[in-house]
Amino acid sequence: MSSKIQFGTKIGLIAATVGSAIGLGNVWRFPAETQANGGAAFLLLYIVCVLCLGIPVMLAEFSLGRGGRSDAVGVFRKLSPGKPWWLVGAVAVLASYLIACYYMVVAGWTLEYLWHSVAGGLYEAVDTASGESLRSAFDVKMDHYVCDDVNPLIFTVLMIVVNAGVLLGGVQKGIEKLSNILMPLLFVILLAICYVTLTLPDAGEGVRYFLEPDFGRITPRVVVNALGQAFFSLSLGMGILITYASYYPADTNLTRTSVIVSLLSLLVAVLMGLIIFPAVKSFGLDNESLEGATLVFVTLPEVFAQLPWPRLWSSLFFLLLFVAALTSTVSITEVTVAMLEDRLGMRRRTAVLTAMAPLLLLSSLCSLSFGSLSSAKLFGLTIFNLLDTFTTDILLPVGSIAVCIYMGWFAPKGLLADELSNHGSRRSRWTAPVLFIIRYLAPVMIGLILVFNYM
Ligand code: PHE
């Protein structure tokens, strides 16, 4: 048993956790969801969900991880020996692994687009185009970069290799060091691009759309989507926060950490909204241009192409996406690596290689599902979409409800109070409200996600 490596510094542990929380969920999924669910009202609900439900469930995962000081399965074995609660951890590990399979592919695209922005290929032969033809030029590029068999596959594999490299470095010299460098970089780039888009002509219209809520647009479906988005973007239900918290020193203030991580994750989502909506409205692009992958891989290159120095802004933007994706993929694969180390007693190197080998195969299949495997479908879904749907619609909500029920009702008495107060060495006013939320409110609300997904 690795008893137990810890993050070296307070800043480092926050950077690593924030790095996990800030991912493609914030920078890409959030603006697309905001658009699909009616703009500012969705933002408001998302903020409420993060603050009222996300933070308490995050605290439950932190307490489990640091209280049990083991991997996502091991904490349940340690805290409730001889009981089947470890299955809750197993669901989280399974969810994280399956998410990693398709997320690596999208992460690979960000690296691919970064490369083609820097090398110039993305803007080749589009200089003279405008309007519709500009758009179709980037559509064609996306076909080539995403739906080809070979190109995206190379970048997916590269992404997995980079992840393996970081994870081989270990918790302090790999994950923590990477996050300490990349997180400040991410914020600098984000603010720079935000400045540019906010100073575009008519940017105000986009800002208004994003920030002025129309409450008439709130429906139960919008609430459920906001909650799903909040949980995904805080990395809940994936075993990540349990695993990372098992590396937190005993004196880490869990409540403060959860608030900082959640607020920074929120901030990034809001800044992304302030980049995307003004840019899109300023160039009069239509709403369809915000859907799914089109948003970042067609619409934004279209915007950059119309600015001075398109390659500079494009390179910075895809670097931002790549950084967000990398710190998230590292955290999600660490869940399996930690489990292999702690459960099977593997050395880190063996654990990393064992985790990565099947990932190479499964991610490749996901990547090919945009190319020659696009007609291989189960339940009408491609391999990529199947994994996405199965994890986000089923495994994540089920896992999160189970964590809440365990922490709320079955965990050793006083675990939450002990962890939030660092075993009595600091006062915690939050134990009672957090316990109330994870006992009653959170399971019911997350249950609604499950119900709505079947409707
Ligand atoms: N918060 C992360 C994101 O927004 C969630 C995540 C972490 C997803 C790790 C996948 C891998 O992307």
Side-chain angles (χ1 to χ4, degrees), residues 20-21 23-26 99 103 232-233 235 238 240 328 331-332:
S20 169
L24 298 171
N26 308 59
I99 291 174
Y103 201 94
F232 187 88
S233 81
S235 304
M238 306 177 190
I240 296 177
S328 291
S331 73
I332 208 159

Side-chain angles (χ1 to χ4, degrees), residues 65-238:
R66 199 180 56 178
R69 281 238 184 272
S70 188
D71 63 289
V73 172
V75 288
F76 292 96
R77 284 203 181 272
K78 261 200 190 167
L79 295 169
S80 298
K83 305 255 169 59
W85 284 108
W86 61 271
L87 285 167
V88 178
V91 169
V93 176
L94 178 67
S96 69
Y97 202 79
L98 297 180
I99 291 174
C101 295
Y102 71 81
Y103 201 94
M104 281 295 178
V105 176
V106 187
W109 298 342
T110 67
L111 184 57
E112 189 178 7
Y113 270 73
L114 171 59
W115 164 249
H116 291 302
S117 301
V118 174
L122 182 58
Y123 292 91
E124 230 161 59
V126 296
D127 305 353
T128 51
S130 65
E132 271 310 299
S133 62
L134 185 58
R135 158 130 240 187
S136 54
F138 286 112
D139 270 335
V140 171
K141 300 260 171 186
M142 185 167 139
D143 262 357
H144 187 50
Y145 295 151
V146 167
C147 304
D148 231 35
D149 278 346
V150 181
N151 288 332
L153 194 60
I154 293 174
F155 285 93
T156 301
V157 171
L158 255 176
M159 197 69 203
I160 295 178
V161 172
V162 174
N163 269 273
V166 175
L167 290 173
L168 282 173
V171 172
Q172 285 192 8
K173 294 209 182 100
I175 301 173
E176 186 171 348
K177 216 165 161 192
L178 176 90
S179 315
N180 277 339
I181 299 168
L182 293 189
M183 280 302 107
L185 178 68
L186 179 132
F187 277 95
V188 171
I189 301 176
L190 200 54
L191 290 173
I193 303 183
C194 206
Y195 175 77
V196 172
T197 53
L198 284 178
T199 48
L200 287 171
D202 295 329
E205 204 194 316
V207 174
R208 230 165 297 126
Y209 172 80
F210 181 51
L211 297 181
E212 265 176 25
D214 170 2
F215 293 106
R217 303 195 62 166
I218 298 182
T219 60
R221 163 62 71 191
V222 174
V223 177
V224 165
N225 288 349
L227 185 61
Q229 172 62 22
F231 270 58
F232 187 88
S233 81
L234 293 177
S235 304
L236 296 173
M238 306 177 190

Side-chain angles (χ1 to χ4, degrees), residues 41-63:
F42 180 80
L43 170 66
L44 200 72
L45 288 172
Y46 170 67
I47 294 176
V48 172
C49 290
V50 166
L51 298 180
C52 300
L53 293 165
I55 291 181
V57 177
M58 185 181 278
L59 283 171
E61 293 203 16
F62 280 172
S63 304

